[in-house]
Amino acid sequence: MDEKSISIMQAAIKLFAKKGFTSTSVQEIAKNAGISKGAFYLHFSSKDELLFALFDYYYNQMKAKVEACANEPDPREKFISQLAVMFKEIASHRDFITMQIREQTIPFNEDIETFTSRMRYESYQFYQNHILDIYGKKAEEFSFEISIVSEGMYKAYLELILMEGARFDFRNLAEALLRRVDYLVEGFLYHQDTPLLTKAYMADLIPEEFLGVSESPLHKLIQAEETKAGGEEKEALTILKEELTSSSPRTAIIKGMTAVLREDGRFEEIIDRVEENYPEIRSR
């Protein structure tokens, strides 16, 4: 997006937050952006198009800041950091968001429908990925249900921030939310509860591309070591990677490959992470 379009959006978001979408004219937006009304229409065909561009631009800005935390190796710290960023970014546009909610001015068209659907699906995938990264195989059966409930808690806190003006330290809030997720996982494991939202059930609701999970930190770690290793270790890493990504991982194969890798101190982190997900392979 060109600099002039961004300048127009920055002028518009301030006016929309202060006066509302309906009460703000194109002329006012152009004036505050330092351009003519005619120049406005060179960049946006209407206020509706401008509003959509605003949502898309700031959503992608937030995604970029969230993804900037993706290299954090510890899955819990990564989740906390990314949640804190999400709280902070949305809260920073509180006046604009609450004004749109009160006015109910978001136009309904194909672009908006596609955009909001993508946001929902990416959000489901975000929580699903984190649940599996943090808790591993033991949470796989109920990971979709935990994901949906976790997202519900996030939205409840966010509503307090946006609508009631609640103030939080976003880092502390993210840490607290993850502790609540811990309780949910522990409850499922302790009670051996059966989830309502299985992968098969969610497959009828979510497009297939959003049901899969992104590469886990463990997968990336194995892949990185695989490119540097040679001989027996390289073969063990390749087999281990394939087994861990299989729909039905075989514990005996995983145990055998980690035994090969255990002879070389370079692979301690990989072994530790595998054992977190498969504690039954730990050497006695």
Side-chain angles (χ1 to χ4, degrees):
M1 184 170 290
D2 64 89
E3 289 184 13
K4 184 55 69 176
S5 294
I6 294 171
S7 176
I8 294 169
M9 290 193 296
Q10 289 171 341
I13 197 170
K14 292 175 184 176
L15 288 166
F16 291 162
K18 184 178 180 180
K19 298 182 61 176
F21 177 80
T22 305
S23 299
T24 301
S25 68
V26 170
Q27 181 64 55
E28 287 175 300
I29 296 169
K31 181 180 178 181
N32 278 266
I35 60 172
S36 67
K37 186 175 179 180
F40 172 92
Y41 288 110
L42 293 175
H43 298 273
F44 302 101
S45 62
S46 64
K47 272 202 311 177
D48 282 358
E49 184 185 335
L50 170 60
L51 185 61
F52 170 75
L54 273 171
F55 283 119
D56 187 60
Y57 176 73
Y58 285 107
Y59 175 67
N60 285 316
Q61 267 204 334
M62 182 179 75
K63 274 184 65 177
K65 291 179 180 180
V66 168
E67 288 167 5
C69 306
N71 291 329
E72 167 59 51
D74 178 68
R76 292 182 68 89
E77 178 59 33
K78 177 181 172 182
F79 185 49
I80 290 167
S81 298
Q82 292 187 323
L83 273 182
V85 166
M86 288 161 60
F87 278 124
K88 180 180 178 181
E89 287 300 302
I90 295 176
S92 70
H93 297 110
R94 179 185 173 230
D95 291 342
F96 168 72
I97 294 169
T98 54
M99 182 65 77
Q100 305 320 305
I101 293 171
R102 290 181 183 129
E103 284 196 324
Q104 296 183 328
T105 52
I106 300 174
F108 182 80
N109 57 48
E110 188 175 342
D111 287 339
I112 290 290
E113 185 176 12
T114 300
F115 173 71
T116 55
S117 295
R118 178 169 61 87
M119 283 179 59
R120 286 200 314 276
Y121 299 147
E122 287 181 354
S123 183
Y124 297 151
Q125 190 177 48
F126 171 83
Y127 287 95
Q128 169 77 351
N129 286 339
H130 279 297
I131 297 305
L132 292 175
D133 281 350
I134 293 170
Y135 304 101
K137 187 173 180 289
K138 65 183 180 182
E140 188 172 359
E141 182 185 2
F142 47 80
S143 60
F144 281 100
E145 188 131 333
I146 296 291
S147 300
I148 296 297
V149 176
S150 301
E151 185 179 14
M153 289 192 291
Y154 167 79
K155 287 179 177 177
Y157 286 117
L158 195 59
E159 185 175 316
L160 287 173
I161 293 167
L162 293 175
M163 305 309 296
E164 311 302 337
R167 295 181 178 275
F168 295 99
D169 177 297
F170 297 131
R171 167 82 191 189
N172 289 344
L173 178 56
E175 290 175 346
L177 199 150
L178 181 53
R179 289 197 298 273
R180 276 79 176 141
V181 178
D182 288 338
Y183 307 151
L184 288 169
V185 172
E186 290 166 10
F188 264 100
L189 292 171
Y190 179 79
H191 295 287
Q192 297 186 331
D193 201 356
T194 302
L196 297 173
L197 305 179
T198 61
K199 184 172 183 178
Y201 183 87
M202 295 299 287
D204 292 330
L205 305 176
I206 300 175
E208 185 178 355
E209 63 265 30
F210 292 98
L211 283 172
V213 297
S214 62
E215 285 188 353
S216 69
L218 175 56
H219 183 94
K220 291 177 182 176
L221 183 61
I222 293 174
Q223 206 161 25
E225 291 295 339
E226 188 182 9
T227 61
K228 296 183 286 184
E232 190 177 34
E233 287 83 6
K234 185 179 183 69
E235 185 178 1
L237 287 165
T238 301
I239 295 170
L240 179 62
K241 182 180 68 176
E242 292 172 354
E243 202 62 36
L244 291 173
T245 54
S246 165
S247 58
S248 302
R250 294 165 292 180
T251 305
I253 301 296
I254 295 171
K255 186 172 184 178
M257 294 307 101
T258 53
V260 172
L261 298 175
R262 206 181 295 275
E263 297 175 9
D264 191 320
R266 291 179 298 164
F267 306 115
E268 285 183 6
E269 186 177 356
I270 290 175
I271 294 167
D272 288 343
R273 291 199 178 202
V274 172
E275 288 180 343
E276 285 177 12
N277 294 339
Y278 298 86
E280 63 270 27
I281 72 165
R282 287 193 174 100
S283 55
R284 303 295 181 190

